[in-house]
Amino acid sequence: MTTVAYLGPAGTYSEMAALQYLQLSHPDLEHDPSRMCPYPTIPQAINAAEQGHVDVAIVPVENSIQGGVTMTLDSLWQSESLQIQQAIVMPIAHALITRAQNFDDIKVVYSHPQGLAQCQQWLDHHLPNVQQIASDSTTDGLHIVAKDVTVAAIASQRAAEIYDLPILQYPINDQPDNCTRFLVLGRTSPTTKGTHSSLAFSLKRNMPGALVKPLSVFADRQINMSRIESRPTKRSLGEYIFFIDIEAPIDDPNFSEALQELQAVTENLKILGSYAIT
């Protein structure tokens, strides 16, 4: 029985991605709530998979509006055993959940920082004077919404149904094509099959052209790099870890040669997994 860690509580987009994963990977099994393991933060969900408390963790890694999810990237770099098993791209449509009858009655809005950011233009236009409070997940503020008619939360339609709360307006995200990519992380051996691969590396020295050499390894072999993002090493200002997505499986001979050359021009190199995107 596959157990799944995700950013909870119930009603988050991470839970929806986890449910989608279970449905796709085990279509013949009925939904079993005991397989779903919510955690209060993304690092805690990842650590649960790292320690073997669950089989996999499903966490957001990138949003089409706000970019990379830094907590996920940092945890991936620090992980010693997790590999990306699969990626799930899911449309995100936010709802304004509140017991208020109109916008003028709302004084406070709660949501995850990503939720607030993805609705920032809408908030500036419709609720310019409302206090915005960031929470650990999109559903954390719903218990306050249930008690206080001046409070609203930005969350999913599913969350409103679960907590039996009304939706004042939907959708409210700034971009209609808003979507988030989630990663399925597990403690299995590195996979070699898939349409995409992810890796991360740090550089030996912070000097002119230091990043050009690693990137040229892929360009010279006509391997498409679909994404690059940097995070600080936390050792010294100006030192970074680079996360890269490649449109090739690890067992591609061309990619294997590129990895061998890449080891010579990087300080630390981590293969994060080869996987399919659904």
Side-chain angles (χ1 to χ4, degrees):
M1 182 181 72
T2 302
T3 51
V4 181
Y6 66 93
L7 175 63
T12 63
Y13 295 100
S14 293
E15 186 210 30
M16 294 167 65
L19 290 170
Q20 181 175 324
Y21 165 74
L22 288 174
Q23 184 178 21
L24 291 173
S25 59
H26 303 285
D28 54 327
L29 297 179
E30 294 184 3
H31 172 59
D32 182 357
S34 66
R35 301 167 68 187
M36 304 286 288
C37 304
Y39 285 83
T41 67
I42 290 173
Q44 287 181 42
I46 293 175
N47 186 63
E50 179 93 20
Q51 300 299 319
H53 301 314
V54 296
D55 295 310
V56 298
I58 296 182
V59 292
V61 68
E62 180 187 18
N63 176 260
S64 58
I65 298 175
Q66 288 301 306
V69 180
T70 57
M71 286 186 290
T72 297
L73 295 174
D74 290 345
S75 295
L76 268 176
W77 178 254
Q78 295 163 7
S79 170
E80 297 181 356
S81 62
L82 295 181
Q83 285 280 309
I84 303 171
Q85 310 296 317
Q86 184 179 336
I88 299 171
V89 177
M90 192 172 69
I92 304 296
H94 293 300
L96 185 70
I97 303 172
T98 181
R99 292 170 53 240
Q101 297 299 309
N102 54 67
F103 296 152
D104 292 337
D105 295 334
I106 299 172
K107 306 301 180 186
V108 180
V109 174
Y110 285 87
S111 192
H112 186 274
Q114 285 271 339
L116 293 171
Q118 291 163 27
C119 302
Q120 196 59 58
Q121 295 177 22
W122 188 94
L123 289 169
D124 289 344
H125 181 73
H126 295 280
L127 299 171
N129 300 315
V130 168
Q131 181 184 9
Q132 300 176 25
I133 299 180
S135 54
D136 287 334
S137 76
T138 51
T139 58
D140 274 351
L142 293 180
H143 68 284
I144 304 176
V145 172
K147 299 176 182 179
D148 192 337
V149 74
T150 67
V151 174
I154 295 173
S156 66
Q157 282 185 307
R158 172 179 165 79
E161 294 171 1
I162 291 174
Y163 296 94
D164 193 25
L165 291 169
I167 293 175
L168 184 58
Q169 188 153 335
Y170 171 89
I172 65 168
N173 33 284
D174 296 332
Q175 302 297 327
D177 295 329
N178 186 18
C179 61
T180 294
R181 181 162 58 107
F182 293 85
L183 298 180
V184 181
L185 305 176
R187 293 194 312 155
T188 62
S189 299
T191 56
T192 59
K193 302 294 183 182
T195 58
H196 289 69
S197 299
S198 292
L199 52 92
F201 60 82
S202 58
L203 299 173
K204 293 181 179 180
R205 295 178 60 190
N206 182 15
M207 57 181 288
L211 182 58
V212 173
K213 293 179 180 179
L215 299 186
S216 297
V217 168
F218 300 107
D220 292 344
R221 290 172 172 79
Q222 299 298 306
I223 299 174
N224 190 42
M225 184 179 65
S226 57
R227 176 173 174 262
I228 181 171
E229 185 157 353
S230 64
R231 290 291 298 149
T233 62
K234 300 179 174 59
R235 297 181 307 191
S236 176
L237 186 66
E239 291 188 1
Y240 296 94
I241 301 159
F242 296 91
F243 293 83
I244 291 180
D245 291 347
I246 302 296
E247 293 182 354
I250 292 175
D251 63 355
D252 183 325
N254 201 26
F255 189 21
S256 298
E257 292 178 6
L259 289 178
Q260 291 180 3
E261 187 176 340
L262 192 62
Q263 290 178 336
V265 293
T266 58
E267 179 187 36
N268 294 303
L269 174 64
K270 291 188 69 172
I271 309 302
L272 302 176
S274 188
Y275 51 90
I277 300 178
T278 58

